[in-house]
Amino acid sequence: LKQYEEGIRDTNARKNRVGTFMEGLIEKLLQNIYGLNNSEYMSQGSPQKVKELWNIVLPVDKASRVPDFLIYKNSKLFWIETNFYSGPGSKLKSTCGEYKSLFNFCKNHDVEFVWITDGEGWKTTLRPLRETFINNDYIFNISMVKDGILEDLWS
């Protein structure tokens, strides 16, 4: 049991490191490629922060949900989630379903939902990704973000 618990802690720590790395990478791209500054975006945006900075009420579907990034450009609010999957697993499938629902929730509240995801894990989980791709307007990978695709959203 002790080895099992240590294995879970190691796996969770690795997932947290990969998630933190992905968020850091996207934040650098937002700053360096898109030239966003602190008045145009925030990471880990709470409804209170959004209200203070932009005087907008951020709709939330779950009390504990905090977007990875929020961008406010040209009077439009963009909710961005980021994920990197280094291997296959049930998390990819559940995230696809969750982000289909979150897209619909955001759309109903006049917020644009953007999912930036990448990794080898998608090669084995194409069906859930395809279903989400059909439903959601904006799903991008790191290469697309580096190539400037986000600029098309708010220009």
Side-chain angles (χ1 to χ4, degrees), residues 32-81:
N32 297 335
I33 291 180
Y34 298 97
L36 296 180
N37 59 48
N38 289 338
S39 68
E40 298 170 310
Y41 88 97
M42 70 176 69
S43 60
Q44 304 299 313
S46 68
Q48 182 180 356
K49 285 183 185 178
V50 171
K51 183 71 172 163
E52 288 170 7
L53 184 61
W54 299 317
N55 197 29
I56 296 173
V57 175
L58 176 67
V60 289
D61 63 336
K62 296 179 181 178
S64 62
R65 186 182 300 278
V66 177
D68 290 340
F69 297 98
L70 290 162
I71 295 172
Y72 188 63
K73 289 280 278 185
N74 298 326
S75 301
K76 191 73 178 167
L77 186 62
F78 298 87
W79 176 318
I80 299 178
E81 291 293 335

Side-chain angles (χ1 to χ4, degrees), residues 88-107:
S90 60
K91 181 66 176 161
L92 290 102
K93 294 174 186 172
S94 67
T95 300
C96 282
E98 180 182 350
Y99 285 178
K100 281 171 52 178
S101 297
L102 184 54
F103 166 80
N104 293 329
F105 175 83
C106 286
K107 190 171 189 168

Side-chain angles (χ1 to χ4, degrees), residues 4-18:
Y4 174 75
E5 288 173 349
E6 287 173 2
I8 289 175
R9 277 195 302 274
D10 290 345
T11 300
N12 288 338
R14 181 177 40 78
K15 287 178 186 176
N16 288 338
R17 284 191 303 272
V18 170

